[in-house]
Amino acid sequence: MSAVATRTMFTAAALAVTLAAGFAAPAAGSAGPAAGSAGPAAAGGHDAGLRSALDDLVAAGTPGAILLDRHHGRTVRLAAGYAEVTAPEPMRPADRFRAASQMKSYTAVLVLQLVQEHRLGLDDPVDRLLPGVIPHGYGHGVTVRHLLQNNSGLFNFNNDPRVLEPYLAGDLGHVWLPAQLLEIAFEHEPSFPAGARFEYSDTNFILAAYVVEAVTGHSFDHELRSRILRPLGLRGTELPTTSAIGGRHAHGYTTIPGPTGDLDVTGLYPFSWAAGGLTSTVDDSAAFYRALFGGRLLGPALMLQLKTTIPVTDSDLPSRSGLGVQRWTPCGVAWGHSGDAPGYLVYTWISADTGDETVLMVNKDGPSLSPAAGAAYNALLVRAFCGR
């Protein structure tokens, strides 16, 4: 199976044309610093096979990697390679990174909590909840459920070349406001009638965040912190409003063709906001999905809605889409979400009974991985989660 998604915000080839500065990653075949572990559970006898496979992943062409693997109460945390290749700084299990579209799960949970509180309905029309935000008559029939399931048909603003122009011109810190991105999206006709099929669109989750603000009267960030981050103690997770990543973090690299090498794109402004602006750690990612699928954030009725899936049809990734979550079947059922942004790739998989969980992050985006690195990533993710 293929675990590495091909969807990202912009292509490495486009970056090659416009970004002038590049940094060399460790040469293929050199894993950099040996993998390390953290935490008492790992100290007593971590899995040497996982350690070796993580080193192989870095040797295949990723600057660094972090693995958290948890099976029935025993957690192993491993890191290999470099968090920054120019210093160089070794990768550490607690390093922060851009978790990208894992943000969609948080956004969906906030909306579903409001549904649970009877403050809105999953099948409420979005234009009625957001009067004046969506142009009159645009996206007829789009409901809250359509937003969270990525089957609204609303145009993905990332597919308009104007969004990427500032970044491709070298201004990684350019600020797009959510309202500006929605205006760009609404200039395009919907791809299909609401509910007709799956199509990934960050526009959906910007609108979902607007729904949260409209219903609560508070900022989206306030609701995120008060309902999820603080109650779960996720101190390494943020939704930044600047291009900086707080705390010790992994630099993100994207590969471009030609002699320039890998480019450091850590400073890319997180313009996708509620659709993909999240920064996190492997421990926080694991804790969030464990809380979600352990029933701490939503009751049984809303969890049933969240886990009702449709086929994902616009990617080679064999998965199904729930409401802000993804479902795979590598060996039984795995729930969670991926995150793929320039410079970073992360997957979190958790079993239905939450006994098994794997988080695997590399500081290089999926489209930039070589075939060997992609295969190594896939193999390690499956090996760790399935206990092979």
Side-chain angles (χ1 to χ4, degrees):
M1 62 171 289
S2 171
V4 176
T6 58
R7 190 185 295 117
T8 191
M9 285 191 284
F10 55 78
T11 66
L15 280 174
V17 177
T18 52
L19 294 181
F23 301 98
S30 172
S37 61
H46 53 77
D47 189 320
L50 294 182
R51 180 183 292 275
S52 176
L54 195 69
D55 283 337
D56 290 344
L57 172 56
V58 173
T62 67
I66 305 174
L67 173 70
L68 181 149
D69 189 58
R70 178 176 165 271
H71 282 78
H72 303 291
R74 178 179 177 274
T75 302
V76 175
R77 300 171 180 84
L78 301 171
Y82 295 99
E84 184 179 2
V85 302
T86 55
E89 287 287 339
M91 188 76 83
R92 300 178 186 177
D95 283 348
R96 298 185 185 191
F97 54 87
R98 296 200 188 280
S101 283
Q102 290 195 343
M103 183 69 234
K104 290 179 172 65
S105 298
Y106 291 73
T107 301
V109 166
L110 293 179
V111 174
L112 292 172
Q113 286 182 341
L114 296 175
V115 174
Q116 188 166 262
E117 295 165 10
H118 305 292
R119 300 172 76 174
L120 75 154
L122 266 175
D123 297 311
D124 285 353
V126 176
D127 56 359
R128 293 185 188 174
L129 293 169
L130 301 175
V133 174
I134 302 176
H136 179 70
Y138 183 89
H140 176 73
V142 172
T143 67
V144 174
R145 186 191 305 273
H146 292 139
L147 299 181
L148 302 185
Q149 196 129 50
N150 267 320
N151 65 344
S152 70
L154 299 179
F155 182 83
N156 186 358
F157 57 77
N158 283 318
N159 292 337
D160 188 303
R162 288 175 294 175
V163 173
L164 304 181
E165 282 176 357
Y167 309 111
L168 298 177
D171 183 9
L172 296 183
H174 177 81
V175 176
W176 279 112
L177 298 177
Q180 293 174 311
L181 296 172
L182 289 180
E183 287 178 5
I184 289 174
F186 296 151
E187 290 178 14
H188 299 264
E189 289 298 317
S191 302
F192 51 82
R197 59 182 173 84
F198 177 90
E199 185 175 84
Y200 205 81
S201 176
D202 282 0
T203 302
N204 292 327
F205 285 83
I206 298 292
L207 287 171
Y210 272 35
V211 168
V212 170
E213 294 185 336
V215 171
T216 64
H218 299 139
S219 72
F220 180 78
D221 182 68
H222 170 85
E223 294 298 309
L224 176 66
R225 286 184 282 108
S226 64
R227 289 175 175 268
I228 298 178
L229 300 187
R230 282 202 295 262
L232 296 185
L234 304 183
R235 296 180 178 85
T237 300
E238 293 180 317
L239 182 58
T241 56
T242 71
S243 57
I245 301 177
R248 195 185 190 282
H249 59 273
H251 282 232
Y253 298 90
T254 192
T255 298
I256 54 95
T260 307
D262 282 6
L263 301 179
D264 187 333
V265 289
T266 310
L268 181 73
Y269 182 78
F271 63 89
S272 288
W273 186 46
L278 191 74
T279 62
S280 192
T281 66
V282 293
D283 269 284
D284 275 10
S285 181
F288 168 73
Y289 286 104
R290 193 161 62 249
L292 174 56
F293 288 95
R296 291 180 58 191
L297 295 173
L298 296 170
L302 271 299
M303 283 302 297
L304 181 63
Q305 297 288 345
L306 176 133
K307 293 194 288 186
T308 299
T309 63
I310 60 174
V312 172
T313 55
D314 71 343
S315 172
D316 62 359
L317 179 66
S319 64
R320 295 179 65 88
S321 173
L323 302 185
V325 297
Q326 297 167 323
R327 179 183 184 271
W328 299 270
T329 52
C331 50
V333 173
W335 292 97
H337 210 286
S338 60
D340 193 4
Y344 302 91
L345 175 68
V346 61
Y347 273 73
T348 299
W349 283 358
I350 188 167
S351 60
D353 64 0
T354 72
D356 301 332
E357 190 171 21
T358 298
V359 186
L360 179 59
M361 189 284 296
V362 293
N363 53 340
K364 182 177 279 193
D365 49 85
S368 292
L369 295 181
S370 67
Y377 187 102
N378 296 341
L380 177 53
L381 184 63
V382 173
R383 176 178 184 170
F385 184 77
C386 299
R388 296 174 182 171

